[in-house]
Amino acid sequence: MGESLDELNERLKQTTDGQALLLEITQRIAAGGSLGAMLPDIINATLRVLHADGIRVVLNSPSGLMTYASGPSAGKMVKFDSLISSLAQEHGPFQIADLAQADKALAPLKKVISGVVALPLTAQYRVLGVLWIAYDNPPHFGADDTTFLSIVAGQTAVAVANARAFDEARRGREHLAAILSSSADPILVVDEQESLVLLNPAAERALGVEANAAIGKPIGEVINAEPLVELLRGSAETEGLEWQNELGQTFSPRVSDVLNDQNERTSRVLVLRDITRYRNLRDNQTEFVSTVSHDLRSPLTYMHGYATMLPMVGSLTEKQQGFADKIIAGIAQMTDLVDKILDASRLDPEGNYELNREPCDIAKMVSDIASSHQQPAEKKNLALSTQVDPAVPILNLDDVMLRRALNNLVDNAIKYTPEHGSVTIGAEVRDNNLVLTVSDTGLGISEENQKHLFERFRRVRRREHQAIKGNGLGLFIVKSVAQKHGGDAWIESKEGEGSTFAIRVPLEGPNLIGAEAHKTDGSIEKVAE
Ligand code: ADP
């Protein structure tokens, strides 16, 4: 006999209900949300359509089992969660219509319910947990029902995986938001359309802008700091830049691009490091060094004067003259140190020393320096000569500083070249540069030692130089002076064969007489060349 009309109707209704349930679950997944919001909706709908007495979802999590449940029998089922969960995860899905016939392990369960269906929840080849359903009056499950239940389990697993991804992404976002809002450094993010997408509280304070009013708007409209807008647009470099806001705070900006998997830029991040304190300390330190050095300079000058005048007030014994000479040498050494400390602090790459440009006759400079070093050179039996290319023009340079630099090189050449050697001061035009050189026939410097020679307080340790006094500031000053003029300083040397130190000054821009000095605008300054 075929099925009756009632049976047919009932089956059709079940099929329609089943499809409606799958649709409902799919829609719920599409609506998204956290696990806690999504799973109860899905379980309630499943309970209703399956006419079950209890449904429990038991999820594996690093902190133990996490459960969600619905239905009048759900409470009684709790204590079997881990048993059912391990059975289903070990042996796959199972249905027991009559628990009375079941395995001994399940015997206690039959006091609570009569039939059970357990389905592992698997997504992306990972078992996430188990969905188990309890019936007081278990229906008869046919093959179609089994397939249908496995689809429900599959959809529930997708829901769990999605909700977990959602929760993870939200936690990540919250984490990031907490870091950004607790950061004392202002942070701004713009998208490819140059609209502001993020502005942390520190940035709100530093820029005097409210995030709510500014987010989503073009940066040019909401950020009243042209240098920062240019950085966010990618049309300026951060190297050596400092930005000061209206509250007098100084920031060091850093920009970086955020790229997607295809290496395309999706946004740009600007982080402003607050360097106000450091700036103040640095200014105070520079001021302190220069005040102390100035104050030391004048007593040194008169000490030198009186010490040299000693023989004029009465004749000195040989011993007394020897002592006086030592005092004079000590004063000269201190004066040299004080002068170099002053020069070095003035020329600090982070300081704001402005070159004092004036027409500068290089040929005269070379000859003056050669004359003033003639006596010390003769004292060591060194031949001091000059070679000046007549093509060297009069230039617009900081004469005083350049003289100091060249002076330091000639001092060194004489200091570090053993007796009977020679020292040559040269000036020539090379590839549109003025190149000043000081060559000696001294001991030379190894490649390893050449690397850090121009850094502050660097001295080469070698036996032959032990008795030679110095402070390691001379070459730092030489390089700084060259760089302030847009050039550089370097050494060419082979150990044992002497050295040539060179200063290069480009024959262009403000170094040329008559050229306009290029100045930066007031709000952002380039402090390092
Ligand atoms: P200072 O001479 O006061 O120590 P500088 O910065 O002028 O400091 O020089 C750094 C070091 O470089 C010196 O200590 C010396 O070891 C080395 N040096 C400089 N000039 C020469 C030279 N012409 N020949 C050999 N070594 C040199």
Side-chain angles (χ1 to χ4, degrees), residues 53-56 69-82 84 109 112-113 116 132-135:
D53 295 291
I55 294 191
R56 297 188 63 82
S70 180
S73 300
K76 295 185 274 182
M77 295 157 69
V78 178
K79 50 179 184 284
F80 302 101
D81 273 347
S82 61
I84 298 287
L109 189 57
V112 181
I113 44 164
V116 64
W132 70 289
I133 307 164
Y135 284 98

Side-chain angles (χ1 to χ4, degrees), residues 8-124:
L8 185 66
N9 273 340
E10 180 56 23
R11 205 158 55 79
L12 272 175
K13 185 175 175 314
Q14 275 178 8
T15 312
T16 321
D17 285 354
Q19 280 169 350
L21 172 63
L22 291 180
L23 182 65
E24 195 173 336
I25 295 178
T26 310
Q27 282 171 340
R28 188 60 195 82
I29 294 173
S34 68
L35 203 57
M38 196 187 288
L39 218 45
D41 289 352
I42 293 175
I43 294 176
N44 286 335
T46 311
L47 182 86
R48 193 183 68 238
V49 173
L50 295 183
H51 303 293
D53 295 291
I55 294 191
R56 297 188 63 82
V57 170
V58 184
L59 299 177
N60 310 326
S61 87
S63 52
L65 296 180
M66 264 172 71
T67 57
Y68 297 85
S70 180
S73 300
K76 295 185 274 182
M77 295 157 69
V78 178
K79 50 179 184 284
F80 302 101
D81 273 347
S82 61
L83 173 67
I84 298 287
S85 173
S86 49
L87 282 176
Q89 291 189 39
E90 222 170 283
H91 307 294
F94 64 85
Q95 303 165 4
I96 304 170
D98 185 1
L99 276 166
Q101 318 276 313
D103 199 280
K104 260 221 299 276
L106 292 169
L109 189 57
K110 73 179 170 212
K111 294 193 189 125
V112 181
I113 44 164
S114 327
V116 64
V117 180
L119 303 149
L121 298 176
T122 313
Q124 285 147 356

